[in-house]
Amino acid sequence: FLCKKGMYNSLLKVEGNITINGVFRGGTINCSGNIYIWELGGSSMSATVIKALKDSKITIEYCHANIMIYLGKELVRIDEPMQKVKIHRDKGMVQLEKLKWDGKI
């Protein structure tokens, strides 16, 4: 699935990979593959949730607070703005790589 601009308050279910080259604000993503999102969530938006399989790789360039990401049954909660977020499994353990967001896009 490829989205070139953005989605707001949506329910997205995809069998395969997702690429969103814009924003995804509010709503839920269910995905069986890898996920790439340019900007996830919003400072005053409702909660944003990603549900992916345990072996999925998730990459987010800019991530706002109030995000819940399920990788299989494990929850990664993002409570502060971050950039260059990468979530994946390595040797069975969920790994989260991130940088603190400086507020600039």
Side-chain angles (χ1 to χ4, degrees), residues 1 73 79:
F1 177 83
K73 293 182 180 180
D79 293 323

Side-chain angles (χ1 to χ4, degrees), residues 13-79:
K13 290 184 177 184
V14 174
E15 292 290 328
N17 297 333
I18 294 176
T19 299
I20 299 176
N21 289 327
V23 300
F24 187 91
R25 292 196 172 125
T28 302
I29 294 174
N30 286 300
C31 179
S32 65
N34 297 328
I35 300 171
Y36 171 85
I37 302 173
W38 177 257
E39 185 177 351
L40 181 65
S43 57
S44 62
M45 297 298 296
S46 58
T48 303
V49 178
I50 294 178
K51 296 179 181 178
L53 295 181
K54 68 178 186 174
D55 293 323
S56 296
K57 294 178 183 166
I58 301 171
T59 303
I60 306 163
E61 296 296 330
Y62 299 96
C63 187
H64 294 271
N66 197 20
I67 307 292
M68 292 187 297
I69 300 173
Y70 292 91
L71 206 57
K73 293 182 180 180
E74 294 193 52
L75 171 63
V76 176
R77 186 174 184 89
I78 298 178
D79 293 323

